Amino acid sequence: MGVIEYALYDEVEMKKPHPCGSKNHLFQIVRVGADIKIRCLACKNIIMMDRGHFNESIKRVISHHLEEIK
């Protein structure tokens, strides 16, 4: 499988849902660097993970946004 390209503020679908109880797997990337920060779109909590773990956990990019989803 090829590498999935993503950027700041992309809305992404992860392989596993957030433990907040939401049935969706949707998150928004809010920081890109050596570590990646993603925000759960259901409960708005932020998860920080290293880039390698993020690359293994991402399923697909849903859409690109120019700013954070409020």
Side-chain angles (χ1 to χ4, degrees):
M1 189 161 117
V3 175
I4 297 174
E5 293 188 28
Y6 50 84
L8 186 62
Y9 303 132
D10 281 357
E11 185 177 341
V12 297
E13 181 179 6
M14 303 300 281
K15 292 178 181 174
K16 293 184 180 180
H18 186 243
C20 69
S22 172
K23 298 295 183 205
N24 71 32
H25 300 220
L26 301 178
F27 297 82
Q28 184 180 33
I29 299 172
V30 293
R31 179 182 182 270
V32 178
D35 293 321
I36 307 284
K37 279 188 182 179
I38 57 176
R39 173 175 281 126
C40 175
L41 293 179
C43 70
K44 307 300 185 206
N45 282 333
I46 292 179
I47 302 167
M48 188 169 180
M49 59 181 73
D50 64 71
R51 189 179 284 265
H53 181 69
F54 179 80
N55 288 338
E56 292 173 0
S57 301
I58 188 171
K59 192 171 183 181
R60 65 187 175 121
V61 174
I62 303 291
S63 62
H64 178 72
H65 299 274
L66 298 177
E67 59 185 25
E68 286 188 50
I69 298 172
K70 301 292 178 188

